[in-house]
Amino acid sequence: MEVLCRSGYAAYLVGGAVRDLLLGRTPADLDVATNAHPEDVKSLFARTVDTGIRHGTVSVWSAGVWIEVTTFRAEGPYGDGRRPDFVRFVDDVHADLARRDFTINAMALDLHGRLVDPFDGRGDLARRLLRAVGDPAARFREDGLRLVRAVRFCVQLDLKCDPATEAALIETADAICPIALERIGRELERLSRAPWHAHLDGLASTLLWRRKGEPLAWLEEGFSWLAREGPFSLAPPPGWPSVALWFVGVDDGPRCARQFAESLAYGKDMARQIERAVRLVQAWVRGMDVPSPELLYEAGRASAEMAARMIAFLARGDVFEVARWKRAIRAQPLWDRSDLALPAEELLAMGFRGKEIGECQRRLVRHILRGEIENQADALRREAMARRERGDDHGPG
């Protein structure tokens, strides 16, 4: 901002960073708005990236962080329900703020700390109110993701919608239908780090999940189950364990959780991890006391640890329940076949071939998990040789 101002341009910190500063929080991202055009911004800084230059945005590397710098703009209609068909650069910060979604995000701070707040966003923060800028129905129809953002802000900042904005959420709920699941997934990932456990009734009753359809529709069942189980005395574990918690009360929850995570672009590895954690926690809900080594092995360490955090939340911090799971995880003798103290190369040297190696490893894993043998090289070697001499692990030739 100082570089821009020194060069004769106006520059303001805008958006969520201003909101967070007014709330006494550390901003996660920094966004700057200016009357400098993108080519002017690029000429002033040594390192820039054209992150959205068509719409006036250039990312600038400054003081060790990337900062998005966007030219003041007014916007045309949102033909695709995501981005404006065209933008028009303007010189007035007030016109730029008028295009934003909610009043709490339509504020700006200049270099000297002076607040520009044409829609009383600061007052709405003090009133704990979420209010759209201008016509709320128009704002939501421009970009249906704003519907999910409204839900997320209400949960994250403990806000209530003003009556007109709340009515528009219902009236325009269908605007979520064309929104890509990947975009919704990023908002729900942010929701998973917020105190969602204090808003379960509202999350269960929102129309958005059902209007979008599966896999989002499963959230209605998941949040409803949690609402019936609550209230909860502890904050939920943030991030992926929270996403997994949303599916514990869903019929066929493990499969639904995996499909949900894959559809929202959380990655196949994370989807499988969430699926296995949900399976473990559902078994606990049905009355499983302490997980067996076989169940933990099938789940894997990452999923088992995720499940333990989920159970600590559902058990309301019951120290005995938490301790049981911690002990089981700590005492687990084996998590993966690659952790066997007898490597495949040694089995090969002992004369095992092809499928015999895998079968021998599976047998050794079963013995270790059942407590019949320890995961020590000498013990495993003796067991493997004894089975080989008996012909237990020989294939057809």
Side-chain angles (χ1 to χ4, degrees), residues 132-159:
V133 173
D135 178 2
R139 291 286 84 80
F140 292 139
R141 288 194 183 101
E142 285 171 349
D143 183 355
L145 187 67
R146 289 171 175 168
L147 295 161
V148 186
R149 283 168 60 81
V151 172
R152 195 252 297 177
F153 283 131
C154 285
V155 171
Q156 188 176 37
L157 304 176
D158 192 25
L159 307 177

Side-chain angles (χ1 to χ4, degrees), residues 76-130:
Y78 283 63
D80 64 356
R82 178 177 181 180
R83 295 187 180 95
D85 295 340
F86 63 85
V87 299
R88 176 170 49 86
F89 295 150
V90 297
D91 288 325
D92 182 13
V93 67
H94 292 80
D96 183 80
L97 295 175
R99 69 180 175 82
R100 297 176 184 267
D101 52 4
F102 304 108
T103 62
I104 62 171
N105 296 330
M107 297 179 283
L109 274 177
D110 71 10
L111 188 60
H112 304 289
R114 291 187 291 256
L115 181 68
V116 180
D117 184 14
F119 305 104
D120 196 24
R122 187 174 194 172
D124 284 344
L125 279 179
R127 291 184 287 270
R128 317 305 298 172
L129 195 67
L130 186 73

Side-chain angles (χ1 to χ4, degrees), residues 150-215:
V151 172
R152 195 252 297 177
F153 283 131
C154 285
V155 171
Q156 188 176 37
L157 304 176
D158 192 25
L159 307 177
K160 290 192 178 298
C161 281
D162 89 300
T165 301
E166 186 171 22
L169 278 169
I170 298 169
E171 175 190 341
T172 65
D174 286 340
I176 194 177
C177 295
I179 304 304
L181 285 171
E182 291 85 352
R183 296 183 71 206
I184 296 172
R186 289 193 288 274
E187 286 299 319
L188 293 179
E189 188 180 348
R190 294 184 181 104
L191 179 68
S192 73
R193 297 194 292 269
W196 53 263
H197 66 302
H199 300 265
L200 285 168
D201 289 334
L203 289 169
S205 62
T206 181
L207 295 175
L208 299 180
W209 321 133
R210 192 181 301 178
R211 290 290 173 86
K212 181 63 177 174
E214 294 179 0

